[in-house]
Amino acid sequence: MTGYDWISFTTDYGLSDGFVAACHGVVARLAPQVRVIDVTHSVAPGDVPRGAAVLAQTVPHLPPAVHVAVVDPGVGTARRGIAASTPGGLLVGPDNGLLPWAADALGGLEAVVELVNPEWFAPDVSRTFHGRDVFAPVAARLARGAPLTDAGPPVDATGLVRLPDPVVAVGDGWLEAEVLTIDRFGNVQLAAPGEALDGLGPTLRVGGVRALRGGTFAEAAPGGLIVYVDSAGRAAVAVNGGRAAVVLSVTPGDVVRVNSSG
């Protein structure tokens, strides 16, 4: 196996501590030729669905890589660590629902192993920092070209933990959809695909607030709400010059209703 030139890294670690640097350091020591792309370390602590959504929307735009994701509130428990192959790269992380959406985005799961080979881990594995002591060293070895099967025994891909599908319902002149993500601009990304907007008119109400359907933020007046198809192909809501999440008073996981309005 030829290995990979890149490792991507997605976590809820934040940047105020040394957690991310420690994981980078492990990779640098074991695979100094491999470069790391930081996807984000600002996933809300323990928010597995949000980590899964960001990862799945990002990996198709990255080079072939070993994608490490650690949003792991069950660290140190009986939850498994896994590595998986897909047509578009490898995935490494906890078996808690974080990885399957990304696997789908990369062409689907081909093989999955449970990470049980202690020779691939740090000499002393912390019960609370598997990102540093398990997932980073595994990713580095895979990037160097080590066979996936050396990391542990195969497991049935159908037995992996999968997150429930986000809520999406579409009717005559309306749709209801779960808030999938909220970006740093306050734009509200819905789980509904962009084509779900095709049955709606140009004037809308979102959660009772008047909105326009458009293609760019500037099509709404300053402070006005715009419903559009975002860069990930999802239906989304923004405010021209403001924060839609504040206007709608929503957080990820809430369900938003969009209606055609006269």
Side-chain angles (χ1 to χ4, degrees):
M1 184 175 176
T2 58
Y4 293 86
D5 294 328
W6 298 91
I7 288 174
S8 82
F9 195 26
T10 304
T11 77
D12 59 354
Y13 290 162
L15 295 175
S16 60
D17 303 292
F19 304 139
V20 172
C23 295
H24 274 259
V26 169
V27 170
R29 294 177 67 170
L30 293 174
Q33 79 285 0
V34 173
R35 291 172 287 180
V36 178
I37 298 173
D38 290 295
V39 175
T40 182
H41 301 294
S42 297
V43 176
D47 193 341
V48 175
R50 253 37 69 190
V54 171
L55 183 67
Q57 292 177 29
T58 304
V59 291
H61 304 285
L62 302 182
V66 181
H67 303 287
V68 184
V70 192
V71 181
D72 194 15
V75 62
T77 69
R79 73 93 184 95
R80 299 181 294 189
I82 56 172
S85 64
T86 76
L90 302 180
L91 292 159
V92 176
D95 179 20
N96 63 1
L98 183 61
L99 304 181
W101 290 354
D104 294 344
L106 291 170
L109 289 166
E110 295 177 325
V112 184
V113 300
E114 183 177 1
L115 305 180
V116 298
N117 183 353
E119 295 182 1
W120 279 40
F121 305 160
D124 296 306
V125 176
S126 165
R127 291 179 62 86
T128 60
F129 199 178
H130 285 189
R132 178 194 67 193
D133 297 340
V134 176
F135 301 131
V138 165
R141 286 173 169 80
L142 292 173
R144 284 186 348 208
L148 184 69
T149 51
D150 285 0
V155 299
D156 184 357
T158 63
L160 297 185
V161 175
R162 288 194 71 102
L163 299 172
D165 291 334
V167 172
V168 177
V170 180
D172 183 14
W174 62 269
L175 71 85
E176 289 185 344
E178 187 174 326
V179 176
L180 199 58
T181 67
I182 296 173
D183 67 21
R184 70 184 303 267
F185 302 102
N187 300 327
V188 176
Q189 181 189 63
L190 303 179
E195 54 265 27
L197 299 177
D198 292 346
L200 304 182
T203 304
L204 308 170
R205 297 194 76 82
V206 182
V209 181
R210 185 180 182 278
L212 297 177
R213 183 178 165 197
T216 65
F217 308 129
E219 290 181 42
L225 220 60
I226 188 86
V227 178
Y228 65 105
V229 180
D230 73 4
S231 61
R234 303 271 186 179
V237 187
V239 169
N240 183 8
R243 301 180 63 82
V246 174
V247 172
L248 299 176
S249 298
V250 295
T251 60
D254 290 343
V255 174
V256 169
R257 185 177 178 93
V258 182
N259 292 296
S260 293
S261 174

